[in-house]
C-alpha cells in the first residue's frame, strides 16, 4: 500500500517509523513532513489546510491510505472531502469525519455527548452572550479554582483555570467578547477536578476498538510541574497508577459507552480517540476527547505496539477491527522533549543542531527542525523527541537523558524530572 501521513511533528515521524516496518507498505509519503520523516519516505511540500493541494498529491502518488495526524484538517472536514469526491472515494482515511471530529472541535458538543451517554465528566454549563447571567451565577455555585474553556479549537490555549470568583466572572465576559476569537464565542464552565491525569488511546472503526498503551504526559515547562503549559515536555508509558483494575473501569465506564454513543448518534468515526482522563481517587473522569493521537504521547506509546500498525489501520478503515487483536510490549517506553529556550513564550529559531549522530540506544523523532544548506537547525518550540524503552521507566529515562545530553544547540532545554510523581 502507498501511505500518506499528514502533519509535520514528532507524532507523524513516530507514526511513520512504525508504519515503515510493515510488510504491507509499498511507498511512504509525508505532507509536509520534516527532516526526520524525509529519511523514512518522501516529503511532499503541501499546505495541508488546502484540501485541493492534498488531493493533487494523493492522486499523483497513488495513495491508498491517508493518516491524518493533527486535529485541524479533521475538524474542517478533510475526511468528508475525500468521501464526497469521486476521484478520492477509494482512498482510506484514518481520522473521523466532521460529525465525529466535533468531539474535539466543540467542547459543548463533547460535554453534551458525555451527558447523554452517561460518561463520567466534570459538571458544566455552556454559556453564550444570551445566557451570560446564568453563567455568572453558575460560577457562584462552584468551588474555586474555576475552569473556563473556549468551545472551539484554540491551538491548546483555550483553557483558563483561575483562582477567584471575580476573576472567573471577568474572564468569562472577556472570553465571550472574543479573547480566543470565534473559538470562545461560546464558553464551557466546568467544575474543577482534583486528581492525576492520564491519557488513554484507542483505534476504532466506529463499532469496535483496540486499546493502545496508555501514557502520562508532562505539560508544564518547569520541573516539578510548574510554570506555563506547553504542547508536552515528555511522556511515560505504562502509567504505574493506571493498573488493570483502573483500566478496566476506564473501558467499562468511558470507552465502551463512548463507542456505543458514536454508533447511536451516527457519528462517522474511523481512527484514533484520545481520552484525556483525570483519576479522581480511583474513579476515571473525562477531561477531554481528542480525535487523533497525542503529541508527544505517540512518541512513547508507539514503541510499545508490537503488532503491524498498518494492518490495524487498514482494518479500521475497512470496518473489520473486530477480527483483530493488538500485541503490546510489557516494557516501559518514554520520550523526552528537547525544546527551544524561552518556549512556550518567545524563542528563536534557526539554531544549528549537532551531536545527534552520536546518539545510540534511543530513537529521535523530529518535532521542529529544518535542513538548511545541509545543516540541521531548530525550527519550533518543540525540537526533537528522544524516545527509549527499558525494563522500567527509570531505565528508559536514563537512556533518553544520556542521549539528550549529546544533542547540542544554543539554549537547549528539557525537563530532567520526568516520572518524579510516579
Ligand atoms: P484541555 O485543553 O481540555 O486538555 O485542558 C487543558 C488542561 O487543563 C488539562 O490537561 C487539565 O490539566 C486542565 N483541566 C481541564 N479541565 C479541567 C477540569 N475540569 N478540572 C481540572 N483541570 C482541568
Ligand atoms: N499531548 C497533548 C496533546 O497532544 O494534545
Amino acid at each position: 500500500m502507498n501511505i500518506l501521513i499528514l502533519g509535520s511533528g514528532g507524532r507523524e515521524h513516530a507514526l511513520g517509523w512504525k508504519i515503515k516496518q510493515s510488510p504491507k507498505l509499498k511507498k511512504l509519503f509525508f505532507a509536509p513532513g520534516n527532516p526526520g520523516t524525509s529519511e523514512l519516505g518522501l516529503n511532499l511540500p503541501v499546505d495541508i489546510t488546502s484540501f485541493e493541494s492534498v488531493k493533487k498529491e494523493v492522486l499523483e502518488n497513488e495513495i491508498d491510505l491517508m493518516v491524518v495526524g493533527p486535529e485541524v484538517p479533521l475538524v474542517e472536514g478533510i475526511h468528508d472531502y475525500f468521501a464526497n469526491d469521486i476521484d478520492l472515494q477509494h482512498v482510506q482515511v484514518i481520522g473521523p469525519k466532521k460529525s465525529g471530529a466535533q468531539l474535539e472541535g466543540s467542547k459543548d458538543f463533547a460535554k453534551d455527548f458525555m451527558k447523554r451517554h452517561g460518561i463520567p465528566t466534570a459538571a458544566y454549563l455552556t454559556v453564550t452572550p444570551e445566557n451570560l447571567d446564568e453563567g455568572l451565577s453558575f460560577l457562584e455555585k462552584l468551588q474555586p479554582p474555576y475552569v473556563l474553556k473556549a468551545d472551539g479549537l484554540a491551538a491548546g490555549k483555550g483553557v483558563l483555570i483561575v483562582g477567584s470568583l471575580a476573576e472567573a466572572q471577568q474572564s468569562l465576559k472577556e472570553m465571550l467578547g472574543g479573547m480566543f476569537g470565534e473559538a470562545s464565542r461560546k464558553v464551557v464552565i466546568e467544575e474543577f477536578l482534583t486528581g492525576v491525569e492520564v491519557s488513554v488511546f484507542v483505534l476504532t472503526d466506529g463499532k469496535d476498538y483496540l486499546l493502545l498503551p496508555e501514557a502520562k504526559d508532562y505539560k508544564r515547562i518547569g520541573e516539578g510541574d510548574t510554570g506555563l503549559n506547553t504542547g508536552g515536555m515528555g511522556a511515560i508509558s505504562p502509567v504505574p497508577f493506571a493498573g488493570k483494575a483502573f483500566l478496566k473501569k476506564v473501558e467499562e465506564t468511558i470507552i465502551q459507552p463512548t463507542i456505543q454513543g458514536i454508533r447511536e448518534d451516527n457519528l462517522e468515526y474511523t481512527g484514533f480517540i484520545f481520552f484525556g482522563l483525570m483519576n479522581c481517587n480511583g474513579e476515571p473522569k473525562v477531561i477531554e476527547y481528542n480525535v487523533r493521537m497525542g503529541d508527544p504521547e505517540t512518541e512513547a506509546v508507539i514503541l510499545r505496539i508490537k503488532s503491524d500498525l498498518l494492518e490495524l489501520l487498514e482494518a479500521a478503515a475497512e470496518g473489520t477491527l473486530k477480527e483483530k487483536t493488538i500485541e503490546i510490549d510489557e516494557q516501559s517506553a518514554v520520550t523526552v522533549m528537547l525544546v527551544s529556550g524561552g518556549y512556550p513564550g518567545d524563542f528563536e529559531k534557526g539554531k544549528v543542531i549537532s551531536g545527534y549522530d552520536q546518539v545510540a540506544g534511543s530513537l529521535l523523532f523530529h518535532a521542529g527542525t529544518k535542513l538548511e544548506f545541509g545543516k540541521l537547525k531548530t525550527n519550533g518550540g518543540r525540537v526533537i523527541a528522544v524516545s527509549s524503552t527499558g525494563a522500567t521507566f527509570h531505565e528508559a529515562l536514563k537512556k533518553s537523558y544520556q542521549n539528550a545530553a549529546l544533542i547540542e544547540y544554543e539554549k537547549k532545554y528539557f525537563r530532567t524530572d520526568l516520572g518524579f510523581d510516579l
Side-chain angles (χ1 to χ4, degrees):
M1 299 171 80
N2 290 341
I3 308 298
L4 171 63
I5 300 177
L6 282 198
S8 61
R11 167 181 50 209
E12 289 75 23
H13 189 180
L15 287 168
W17 170 81
K18 181 67 185 166
I19 287 172
K20 181 82 178 176
Q21 297 164 29
S22 172
K24 286 178 163 278
L25 179 73
K26 207 159 90 196
K27 283 193 206 152
L28 183 59
F29 299 88
F30 298 85
N34 64 39
T37 66
S38 72
E39 296 190 353
L40 297 171
L42 191 64
N43 285 349
L44 305 169
V46 174
D47 168 11
I48 63 169
T49 60
S50 159
F51 296 169
E52 255 174 62
S53 321
V54 176
K55 172 179 175 175
K56 195 168 150 278
E57 295 292 347
V58 163
L59 295 178
E60 223 158 79
N61 296 293
E62 298 177 339
I63 300 299
D64 300 299
L65 182 145
M66 176 171 80
V67 183
V68 185
E71 63 277 14
V72 172
L74 294 169
V75 171
E76 288 178 357
I78 196 164
H79 193 161
D80 309 68
Y81 178 88
F82 271 56
N84 296 333
D85 187 308
I86 194 134
D87 300 327
L88 293 172
Q89 269 166 3
H90 66 283
V91 180
Q92 296 175 323
V93 179
I94 298 298
K97 289 198 185 153
K98 216 169 181 170
S99 62
Q102 289 180 89
L103 287 173
E104 179 166 0
S106 164
K107 304 264 188 206
D108 173 46
F109 179 91
K111 294 297 277 188
D112 180 61
F113 175 91
M114 287 185 258
K115 191 163 82 179
R116 281 187 294 107
H117 297 289
I119 296 162
T121 186
Y124 81 105
L125 179 77
T126 299
V127 186
T128 63
E130 281 72 57
N131 68 338
L132 174 61
D133 288 340
E134 198 189 344
L136 295 172
S137 38
F138 184 74
L139 282 169
E140 284 170 18
K141 284 183 235 140
L142 295 175
Q143 300 296 316
Y146 303 89
V147 182
L148 302 169
K149 299 184 174 181
D151 174 60
L153 294 183
K157 297 195 175 78
V159 177
L160 296 185
I161 300 184
V162 295
S164 79
L165 178 61
E167 204 185 336
Q169 293 183 324
Q170 182 59 27
S171 298
L172 175 61
K173 290 179 196 159
E174 286 174 16
M175 286 176 83
L176 292 172
M179 185 194 276
F180 298 104
E182 281 308 307
S184 67
R185 299 285 176 193
K186 220 188 228 184
V187 172
V188 171
I189 303 175
E190 272 184 25
E191 159 201 21
F192 183 83
L193 298 176
T194 308
V196 205
E197 284 180 57
V198 55
S199 308
V200 173
F201 307 93
V202 302
L203 175 65
T204 183
D205 56 11
K207 304 179 301 220
D208 297 285
Y209 68 91
L210 292 174
L211 185 63
L212 309 182
E214 81 285 358
K216 177 164 197 322
D217 83 330
Y218 290 82
K219 288 202 172 81
R220 303 296 193 103
I221 187 73
E223 311 248 308
D225 281 341
T226 54
L228 293 174
N229 258 328
T230 68
M233 297 297 293
I236 291 179
S237 175
V239 181
F241 70 76
K244 274 211 171 73
F246 179 79
L247 287 173
K248 184 160 177 270
K249 230 181 243 180
V250 171
E251 286 203 64
E252 287 172 358
T253 66
I254 291 172
I255 298 176
Q256 286 157 12
T258 298
I259 303 290
Q260 200 177 329
I262 284 174
R263 235 176 350 198
E264 282 171 16
D265 294 358
N266 290 316
L267 303 183
E268 298 163 289
Y269 212 110
T270 307
F272 298 103
I273 311 178
F274 165 156
F275 299 83
L277 305 178
M278 190 74 90
N279 177 354
C280 305
N281 281 322
E283 296 305 318
K285 293 189 180 180
V286 178
I287 297 179
E288 63 166 349
Y289 289 118
N290 293 312
V291 298
R292 48 165 176 92
M293 285 300 287
D295 195 347
E297 290 94 330
T298 305
E299 290 95 301
V301 162
I302 209 91
L303 302 186
R304 297 188 57 220
I305 300 176
K306 283 190 182 167
S307 311
D308 180 342
L309 182 63
L310 184 47
E311 186 182 322
L312 300 181
L313 295 177
E314 194 185 10
E318 284 170 356
T320 58
L321 220 44
K322 198 185 181 83
E323 299 159 16
K324 300 288 175 188
T325 54
I326 183 164
E327 207 190 334
I328 306 292
D329 194 334
E330 294 291 315
Q331 287 199 95
S332 286
V334 304
T335 193
V336 174
M337 191 61 81
L338 308 187
V339 305
S340 298
Y343 173 78
D346 291 338
F347 58 85
E348 290 167 25
K349 296 181 185 178
K351 306 292 179 196
V352 175
I353 307 172
S354 63
Y356 53 91
D357 45 345
Q358 307 294 311
V359 165
S362 296
L363 288 161
L364 301 185
F365 296 121
H366 291 224
T369 67
K370 64 178 169 190
L371 266 178
E372 247 175 25
F373 306 112
K375 280 210 166 77
L376 190 67
K377 295 184 178 178
T378 65
N379 194 36
R382 294 193 289 176
V383 178
I384 292 179
V386 186
S387 299
S388 317
T389 55
T392 62
F393 75 80
H394 298 284
E395 219 177 87
L397 275 172
K398 200 170 151 195
K399 288 187 205 164
S400 278
Y401 283 140
Q402 276 168 355
N403 284 314
L406 299 175
I407 300 170
E408 295 290 350
Y409 54 86
E410 212 182 296
K411 296 194 183 153
K412 175 185 76 174
Y413 173 75
F414 59 96
R415 273 182 63 172
T416 61
D417 70 336
L418 301 189
F420 77 97
D421 52 343
L422 297 176

